[in-house]
């Protein structure tokens, strides 16, 4: 995963060093390609660092009141352009639920799961994101966040292994990712005292995770 974008960057810089000044448009295209690969590399390295911090117990979270509707809005702002470009409808339901946790990490989990759902969706599909009060854990009031797609679905024998480090689905689109995204989602959710799981649907897959409920905004 690291070698491919690095090789691309090498070719990009080699081209730029050898190109003539007249190749303006082609140069811009190569520069943009290089920039995309730099972003991809930085994200991958950050994911690796996060994994190591979690494994060593050095990653801590600060619990505060997190309004899920603000997390949902961050998801819309981050992914709506990509959804529209892919011809997929992104449907995010409003919520009044407030959870206890780290807003940045919760944002990353929701955006990561939703981006994954978009990647495996086809034109005309809908990706739905919503939250509901949960009674899964009777010792503590919880919230369950669900991200539902209409893709081909995950095979039953992969529903648990998808959260393993570097695991990739047996799909040609899997090569686009690092195999770390769902692992980080699982780690972040567990740092909050929650659980995360995947469910195969008649059409598509549902990813769900829980967070501690703090309050519900009055109407």
């Amino acid at each position: 995963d690291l070698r491919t974008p690095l090789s691309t960057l090498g070719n990009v810089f080699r081209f730029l060093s050898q190109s003539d000044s007249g190749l303006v448009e082609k140069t811009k295209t190569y520069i943009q390609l290089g920039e995309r690969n730099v972003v991809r590399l930085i994200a991958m390295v950050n994911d690796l660092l996060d994994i190591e911090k979690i494994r060593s117990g050095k990653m801590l979270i600060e619990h505060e009141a997190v309004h899920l509707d603000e997390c949902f809005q961050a998801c819309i702002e981050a992914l709506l352009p990509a959804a529209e470009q892919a011809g997929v409808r992104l449907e995010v339901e409003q919520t009044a639920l407030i959870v206890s946790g780290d807003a940045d990490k919760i944002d990353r989990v929701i955006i990561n799961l939703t981006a994954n759902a978009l990647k495996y969706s086809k034109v005309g599909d809908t990706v739905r994101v919503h939250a509901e009060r949960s009674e899964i854990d009777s010792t503590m009031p919880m919230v369950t966040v669900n991200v539902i797609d209409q893709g081909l679905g995950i095979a039953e024998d992969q529903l648990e292994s998808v959260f393993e480090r570097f695991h990739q689905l047996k799909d040609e689109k899997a090569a686009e990712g690092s195999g770390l995204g769902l692992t980080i989602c699982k780690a972040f959710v567990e740092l909050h005292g929650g659980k995360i799981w995947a469910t195969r649907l008649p059409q598509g897959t549902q990813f769900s995770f829980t967070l501690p409920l703090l309050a519900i905004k009055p109407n």
Side-chain angles (χ1 to χ4, degrees):
D1 287 320
L2 290 171
R3 184 185 304 143
T4 300
L6 280 172
S7 298
T8 302
L9 283 174
N11 293 332
V12 168
F13 295 132
R14 189 177 302 110
F15 168 80
L16 292 176
S17 65
Q18 299 174 353
S19 64
D20 297 327
S21 58
L23 300 176
V24 178
E25 290 303 318
K26 192 172 183 181
T27 300
K28 288 181 179 179
T29 300
Y30 272 82
I31 290 174
Q32 291 170 353
L33 177 62
E35 289 174 338
R36 286 197 298 271
N37 278 274
V38 168
V39 170
R40 182 184 171 195
L41 274 173
I42 291 173
M44 196 177 299
V45 170
N46 286 337
D47 285 348
L48 287 167
L49 290 172
D50 283 344
I51 289 289
E52 292 307 314
K53 286 180 182 178
I54 293 166
R55 289 183 64 190
S56 63
K58 294 180 179 179
M59 178 169 285
L60 303 175
I61 62 171
E62 296 183 6
H63 284 270
E64 59 182 2
V66 179
H67 294 246
L68 279 181
D69 56 349
E70 295 179 4
C71 296
F72 284 2
Q73 183 59 37
C75 178
I76 293 172
E77 292 173 358
L79 298 177
L80 185 58
E84 291 178 341
Q85 185 176 7
V88 178
R89 180 179 179 183
L90 180 57
E91 188 177 284
V92 182
E93 295 185 9
Q94 292 184 337
T95 179
L97 296 170
I98 302 172
V99 298
S100 174
D102 184 312
D104 288 339
K105 291 179 175 57
I106 294 172
D107 281 349
R108 282 184 66 183
V109 173
I110 296 172
I111 291 173
N112 204 328
L113 292 177
T114 306
N116 197 61
L118 290 173
K119 183 170 71 172
Y120 290 97
S121 297
K122 60 185 182 299
V123 175
D125 281 355
T126 297
V127 171
R128 181 168 167 250
V129 182
H130 72 98
E132 58 191 358
R133 186 166 180 169
S134 173
E135 303 299 332
I136 293 176
D137 188 344
S138 60
T139 63
M140 178 186 299
M142 303 291 284
V143 170
T144 300
V145 178
N146 301 300
V147 178
I148 306 167
D149 66 58
Q150 297 177 314
L152 294 176
I154 300 175
E156 291 287 347
D157 61 354
Q158 294 189 68
L159 289 176
E160 294 186 10
S161 59
V162 290
F163 298 103
E164 294 176 1
R165 192 176 181 180
F166 298 121
H167 178 86
Q168 291 186 331
L169 296 176
K170 298 175 182 178
D171 186 287
E172 61 181 9
K173 292 187 177 182
E176 299 173 7
S178 66
L180 291 172
L182 292 178
T183 304
I184 290 175
C185 286
K186 183 175 187 289
F188 282 177
V189 169
E190 291 178 348
L191 281 173
H192 285 79
K195 300 177 182 178
I196 186 169
W197 65 96
T199 306
R200 181 178 175 86
L201 304 175
Q203 182 181 358
T205 303
Q206 175 174 307
F207 280 89
S208 305
F209 67 94
T210 59
L211 295 167
L213 173 66
L214 189 62
I216 301 176
K217 290 191 293 186
N219 294 329

